[in-house]
Amino acid sequence: MHHMSQNLAYSQTLILSDFSNTRTQMGALRLPSLTSIFAISSGRSSLFLRRSKQLHVRKLTSTTKIFAQSTPATEVAPPESNQKPLSQEQGITPRSQDFNAWYLDVISMAELADYGPVRGTMVIRPYGYAIWEAIQDYLNVKFKETGHSNMYFPQFIPYSFIEKEASHVEGFSPELALVTVGGGKELEEKLVVRPTSETIVNHMFTQWIHSYRDLPLMINQWANVTRWEMRTKPFIRTLEFLWQEGHTAHATLEEAEKEAMQMIDVYTKFSYEEAAIPVIPGRKSRVETFAGADKTYTIEAMMGDRKALQAGTSHNLGQNFSRAFGTQFADENGQRQHVWQTSWAISTRFVGGIIMTHGDDAGLMLPPRLASVQVVIVPIWKKANEKNEVLDAALSIKDVLHTAGIKVKLDDSDQRTPGWKFNFWEMKGVPLRIEIGPRDVSSKSVVVSRRDIPGKPGKVFGISMEPSVLIPYVKEKLEEIQLSLLEKATSFRDSNIVDVSSYDELKEAISQGKWARGPWVGSDEDELKVKEETGATIRCFPFEQPQGPKKCLMTGTPADEVAIFAKSY
């Protein structure tokens, strides 16, 4: 990712004393990009589940200690003594009051994740993992359609590999977790727990690629990676996270550039069409470029607090790694050439992006195309003799919707009131709720409530239970919600981007918490000055650029492009 402050360096060494007893789960994974996404920014305050007002989880006290990394990250979190379940009535902190507390409350109460026993790690719970699975399901198909094959590389990498590419080791050394002991013995060469796989991929590519006939070589892996972050925030930045990382080798620079652009386009379409997040795709500045890449492309998303989230990246690595590792092929004339390469990734950080883009004071709000439960059915009865007929009708509706390919859940538990269930499933972000009571059974109709339109305005009465009516109605409403979430997020984004033509205007926009867009040809030093004085960085040079002559907001000299500046996660 990008160049990290060197003061963390090697003091953050992780010792795994026994490989045979150390098992790291390698489920499906992925992440936004290898680049500056996980750079450590000193202004960040991230407390994991700091305010755990969770339905079935413990109260928070030691959570703050676990995720505020003021102590060495290798420590094991102390056991909880006050494991008292909290009632739902305590509610979620309002977003406007404390956005960070709101975010942690949603993660806790919607049962998306919990903290792990090692500081800075998280346990992704089933409901949170289901969102990741939906992301995987879509992207895995797209990767294969674009010619990539899935495979797997080891998570232990010889330290000497990391050292081969100079800018790579400089960028990653502060975040490395190192294994120095295995089987009870000091290792001859220390091993790095995978922070990203360019080095080990190149080591293998060098053995597999011999001639132009072996190219292009295009692979992807779903894996976990480890980066020794000092300030963590669940999903957004943790010591270990899940992602996919694609790696390709090509015969020409043009092919590699086309591949890097193709993959950022895949991420962009996913963001808009599936996640309903209107990202801005563009090119990173030199300062923000991935350590070891010639160019980094990114998708930048505006969160509900107007901070930017780097949600995915794609890198044109040029020949930097192939020269370091001697990855060569014989061209059609028999001449030895170094391959041209790319890498690209999206991770579980995207789950955090979905929470912070769409959520509201009632909790999570999931776009229907990524929701593991699209419709929840809540039966309502007061008298014992009403229960059976209501449940029978509810089960019938569930079967009808399920058969139609809709992800539906029937909440028929009788330990909770219907009102409690309404709040619970709203907090879990389920797009549609179907309510059915004795009168509805009599009239052969149901009540349908939309998650994205609170209260009575989002409620429609008298929708027929007849499958020929109900199925198309539900499908239409799910599509409406999907489009509505994208429109709302796009409107919010556009109303918070300010066009600026001077440094003073940029500073004013950033001070108001907005994104600043203005012409830029400033130097790296100018860019670092902006970061130092405003806390904002260049998020990207957008692919979509305004026409006409421009003058750099910092230097006043002619500029070809505008850049977007913002504070970020």
Side-chain angles (χ1 to χ4, degrees):
M1 313 311 302
H2 69 232
H3 301 266
M4 311 291 179
S5 42
Q6 297 297 313
N7 58 346
L8 304 176
Y10 298 99
S11 60
Q12 301 148 10
T13 298
L14 170 65
I15 297 178
L16 300 181
S17 58
D18 187 344
F19 291 172
S20 62
N21 294 326
T22 302
R23 296 184 181 178
T24 304
Q25 182 181 3
M26 307 269 190
L29 338 159
R30 37 218 260 95
L31 175 87
S33 140
L34 333 176
T35 316
S36 55
I37 288 192
F38 288 85
I40 298 165
S41 96
S42 54
R44 253 180 238 122
S45 65
S46 328
L47 313 177
F48 182 43
L49 301 183
R50 170 165 62 69
R51 318 186 87 224
S52 278
K53 295 171 180 171
Q54 195 167 346
L55 293 181
H56 306 296
V57 179
R58 32 194 110 156
K59 203 168 184 176
L60 172 145
T61 43
S62 63
T63 316
T64 305
K65 300 174 193 168
I66 294 173
F67 274 83
Q69 298 289 341
S70 56
T71 52
T74 45
E75 289 183 23
V76 173
E80 289 279 341
S81 56
N82 55 339
Q83 299 186 7
K84 175 184 167 187
L86 300 180
S87 70
Q88 184 175 329
E89 286 66 34
Q90 286 180 271
I92 294 168
T93 303
R95 286 200 337 165
S96 58
Q97 179 182 314
D98 185 335
F99 190 86
N100 187 58
W102 166 84
Y103 176 72
L104 298 175
D105 284 349
V106 169
I107 287 173
S108 173
M109 295 183 69
E111 299 171 329
L112 300 174
D114 204 341
Y115 49 83
V118 175
R119 296 172 190 272
T121 64
M122 69 172 175
V123 176
I124 304 174
R125 302 185 70 182
Y127 198 68
Y129 197 83
I131 301 172
W132 180 237
E133 286 182 310
I135 294 171
Q136 281 184 292
D137 289 346
Y138 174 91
L139 286 177
N140 210 29
V141 170
K142 295 302 177 188
F143 295 159
K144 290 175 181 178
E145 284 177 355
T146 48
H148 305 89
S149 299
N150 283 338
M151 62 176 300
Y152 186 77
F153 291 87
Q155 74 167 357
F156 293 128
I157 300 172
Y159 186 76
S160 58
F161 284 17
I162 302 289
E163 291 181 300
K164 283 189 180 184
E165 211 287 329
S167 63
H168 195 64
V169 68
E170 180 189 352
F172 271 101
S173 61
E175 296 184 302
L176 297 181
L178 303 177
V179 179
T180 60
V181 175
K185 296 179 182 178
E186 190 85 15
L187 298 178
E188 288 185 20
E189 179 179 0
K190 55 192 172 187
L191 304 174
V192 173
V193 184
R194 172 177 52 219
T196 180
S197 298
E198 280 77 7
T199 57
I200 193 168
V201 165
N202 261 88
H203 176 78
M204 300 311 300
F205 276 13
T206 299
Q207 299 174 51
W208 298 337
I209 297 170
H210 304 290
S211 86
Y212 67 93
R213 295 183 187 88
D214 300 321
L215 299 173
L217 180 51
M218 304 198 296
I219 60 97
N220 173 69
Q221 77 164 345
W222 296 89
N224 58 345
V225 290
T226 298
R227 296 180 185 173
W228 216 253
E229 301 286 356
M230 294 307 289
R231 292 183 178 84
T232 58
K233 189 185 188 80
F235 290 112
I236 299 304
R237 183 173 284 98
T238 47
L239 261 64
E240 178 192 4
F241 54 88
L242 308 181
W243 74 355
Q244 58 73 211
E245 50 177 320
H247 297 273
T248 67
H250 305 268
T252 67
L253 169 61
E254 291 74 23
E255 283 183 32
E257 179 66 10
K258 184 179 178 183
E259 166 76 3
M261 291 291 284
Q262 173 182 251
M263 300 321 292
I264 206 68
D265 186 50
V266 167
Y267 292 158
T268 302
K269 285 180 178 174
F270 162 74
S271 300
Y272 273 88
E273 295 174 8
E274 302 295 307
I277 297 178
V279 295
I280 296 179
R283 186 188 79 254
K284 283 290 188 186
S285 67
R286 286 185 302 272
V287 171
E288 296 284 325
T289 294
F290 174 66
D294 283 354
K295 289 180 183 174
T296 288
Y297 301 111
T298 180
I299 50 172
E300 298 291 326
M302 183 182 288
M303 301 294 96
D305 60 353
R306 300 182 294 190
K307 281 187 182 176
L309 183 78
Q310 182 175 289
T313 52
S314 178
H315 315 289
N316 185 335
L317 303 174
Q319 294 178 314
N320 297 327
F321 287 93
S322 64
R323 289 185 184 279
F325 282 80
T327 314
Q328 294 181 301
F329 69 102
D331 65 17
E332 295 185 33
N333 300 316
Q335 300 296 309
R336 301 290 293 170
Q337 308 278 359
H338 288 95
V339 298
W340 302 83
Q341 291 176 260
T342 76
S343 64
W344 27 274
I346 245 182
S347 79
T348 39
R349 151 177 279 230
F350 209 101
V351 176
I354 291 167
I355 299 166
M356 290 194 284
T357 299
H358 301 306
D360 62 11
D361 283 353
L364 189 62
M365 196 182 306
L366 290 174
R369 291 181 192 169
L370 293 181
S372 58
V373 179
Q374 296 171 315
V375 179
V376 63
I377 302 169
V378 178
I380 302 166
W381 70 85
K382 288 183 180 176
K383 302 171 186 173
N385 61 353
E386 297 171 337
K387 179 177 179 180
N388 286 343
E389 64 173 11
V390 169
L391 282 180
D392 286 347
L395 276 167
S396 174
I397 292 169
K398 177 191 175 185
D399 290 342
V400 162
L401 295 180
H402 178 74
T403 303
I406 295 162
K407 296 171 183 172
V408 58
K409 179 176 180 62
L410 168 61
D411 187 347
D412 56 0
S413 61
D414 51 14
Q415 287 86 15
R416 300 289 188 178
T417 65
W420 189 96
K421 294 177 185 179
F422 291 175
N423 291 336
F424 179 76
W425 292 109
E426 282 176 4
M427 184 258 297
K428 302 267 275 189
V430 174
L432 276 182
R433 180 176 74 241
I434 290 177
E435 305 162 20
I436 179 168
R439 271 186 281 181
D440 301 302
V441 174
S442 301
S443 62
K444 291 185 167 55
S445 68
V446 294
V447 180
V448 180
S449 291
R450 287 174 58 154
R451 172 65 178 85
D452 63 324
I453 304 176
K456 284 190 177 178
K459 206 173 254 228
V460 180
F461 296 83
I463 304 301
S464 172
M465 289 183 196
E466 177 60 41
S468 62
V469 175
L470 185 61
I471 290 169
Y473 182 84
V474 166
K475 287 186 173 179
E476 180 187 354
K477 289 303 155 194
L478 290 173
E479 195 57 27
E480 280 181 23
I481 293 168
Q482 184 80 27
L483 295 172
S484 170
L485 291 180
L486 178 59
E487 287 170 8
K488 185 178 177 184
T490 303
S491 173
F492 178 77
R493 179 199 70 184
D494 292 348
S495 65
N496 284 291
I497 299 177
V498 179
D499 285 301
V500 300
S501 56
S502 70
Y503 186 36
D504 283 343
E505 288 178 4
L506 181 148
K507 286 192 279 191
E508 175 63 19
I510 299 300
S511 72
Q512 293 174 359
K514 301 198 172 190
W515 290 17
R517 178 173 52 202
W520 185 262
V521 289
S523 64
D524 293 356
E525 289 71 29
D526 290 331
E527 187 177 338
L528 292 169
K529 177 185 175 184
V530 173
K531 183 176 182 178
E532 216 172 274
E533 295 182 358
T534 70
T537 52
I538 291 180
R539 303 317 305 155
C540 69
F541 292 91
F543 292 145
E544 284 190 24
Q545 287 283 333
Q547 301 301 305
K550 296 175 272 292
K551 287 187 177 179
C552 177
L553 65 89
M554 182 69 86
T555 65
T557 54
D560 294 328
E561 297 176 294
V562 297
I564 290 179
F565 293 80
K567 291 182 178 178
S568 68
Y569 281 99

